[in-house]
Amino acid sequence: MNLDDVFRRAGVAGWLHATDLDSGAEVSHLADEPVPTASVFKLPLLVEFARQVDAGELDPRERVTVTERSFGDTGIGAMLDAVTMSLRDLAYLMIAVSDNTSADVLAGRVGLERVNAMLDGFGLGVTRVVHDCAGLLTTIREDSGGEWPVVDPEVLAMLRALDPGRSNRSTPRETTELLGLIWRDEAASAEQCAWMRRLLGLQVWPHRLSSGFPYDDVAVSGKTGTLPTLRAEAGVVEYPDGGRYAVAVFTRSFSPALNQPRADAVIGTAARMAVDHLRG
């Protein structure tokens, strides 16, 4: 299995880790290299939110009214009027449609320092959340001089948002480890882990990880991440025979084009190759 060739034929560089959640068998392709996470950072934010609910620090049914919006064209970000909903429904929008506004409201309540402390507690020392969505997008505006969309290769090379040393980051391996904690009821209480698995199963985008598993009896749960030239998805693939596999795929396109259908599709292709290898 030559994943490097598969990624290059799609016009991207790629990083992947896939693991059998029960046997621990794995497929690794540059799995320990730090990568910028884009909206995949919403996954550790979700975990820390669930843990604070367990601790009684947050009431998931508390209703909040959102009047200010972070940049983004899904969920509350696409709406025009004030929105009142519960914290747990904001979490649903953050995961299901990657709503930036919902993520930033939750980040303000949870605290990014608490997210990083949680990651340290699980030994996920590379993964760090240093920006909420507004902070991340502010760096892009500052680095690009306000240019949007960013397609100039010289400007792209300067974006802190794409530099794992200066932005939200993880590795493919640490991302699948976090997913494993959720699927084994170790990230929070069994009730909260089940709730997180449900939200990740409600993610709406079918063109990345899910595209590799187009079967009615195979469940795919995941969280996407997107920035200029960056496409990613991390999730769990579950088969009707009980097999379950955590997969994290991060790509960087060689082209600055906004639409990257080959990069989207290769996430599913590479994930399917890895899972097929694990299933023998």
Side-chain angles (χ1 to χ4, degrees):
M1 179 172 47
N2 191 330
L3 286 171
D4 193 56
D5 283 347
V6 171
F7 285 125
R8 288 190 174 278
R9 283 200 295 271
V12 303
W15 297 258
L16 176 147
H17 188 249
T19 184
D20 184 322
L21 288 177
D22 298 298
S23 74
E26 65 176 8
V27 173
S28 174
H29 180 74
L30 306 174
D32 296 309
E33 290 193 4
V35 289
T37 49
S39 283
V40 177
F41 92 87
K42 295 166 184 169
L43 179 62
L45 175 58
L46 177 70
V47 171
E48 180 54 24
F49 173 77
R51 291 170 64 85
Q52 292 186 18
V53 170
D54 275 338
E57 298 177 52
L58 291 175
D59 178 355
R61 295 165 297 185
E62 177 188 340
R63 298 179 68 79
V64 297
T65 297
V66 182
T67 56
E68 297 183 359
R69 288 163 170 78
S70 301
F71 179 82
D73 55 4
T74 60
I76 294 175
M79 301 176 189
L80 299 177
D81 301 316
V83 175
T84 300
M85 64 172 57
S86 68
L87 291 176
R88 63 184 176 185
D89 281 346
L90 289 169
Y92 156 70
L93 287 179
M94 173 180 75
I95 297 300
V97 298
S98 202
D99 177 30
N100 290 341
T101 298
S102 295
D104 284 359
V105 172
L106 292 175
R109 299 298 296 270
V110 169
L112 299 187
E113 72 287 350
R114 295 284 300 274
V115 177
N116 290 323
M118 174 273 294
L119 292 165
D120 282 337
F122 285 125
L124 305 176
V126 176
T127 305
R128 280 294 172 272
V129 180
V130 298
H131 298 297
D132 62 8
C133 297
L136 184 70
L137 294 165
T138 293
T139 70
I140 295 177
R141 283 195 297 272
E142 291 175 347
D143 296 342
S144 68
E147 176 182 333
W148 189 266
V150 184
V151 294
D152 185 327
E154 292 186 2
V155 177
L156 285 166
M158 296 188 297
L159 295 185
R160 282 170 283 172
L162 299 176
D163 179 353
R166 297 188 292 172
S167 188
N168 296 340
R169 56 188 174 271
S170 187
T171 68
R173 186 186 303 278
E174 287 199 355
T175 303
T176 61
E177 288 178 358
L178 186 59
L179 288 164
L181 292 169
I182 297 171
W183 255 255
R184 290 190 296 267
D185 289 344
E186 296 170 355
S189 68
E191 178 184 4
Q192 287 301 308
C193 285
W195 173 72
M196 288 189 280
R197 292 193 293 271
R198 174 178 176 268
L199 294 195
L200 290 161
L202 293 173
Q203 194 252 118
V204 300
W205 316 121
H207 57 310
R208 293 185 182 167
L209 191 57
S210 293
S211 69
F213 308 90
Y215 309 109
D216 289 344
D217 58 352
V218 177
V220 179
S221 307
K223 182 69 202 77
T224 56
T226 307
L227 281 173
T229 71
L230 188 155
R231 300 288 186 279
E233 186 162 356
V236 171
V237 182
E238 297 176 275
Y239 282 74
D241 63 5
R244 51 185 190 163
Y245 311 89
V247 188
V249 186
F250 294 84
T251 71
R252 285 290 306 276
S253 172
F254 303 137
S255 163
L258 290 180
N259 293 312
Q260 297 280 352
R262 291 194 301 161
D264 291 324
V266 79
I267 290 173
T269 301
R272 174 63 182 276
M273 291 174 64
V275 170
D276 281 353
H277 181 79
L278 291 172
R279 290 176 62 80

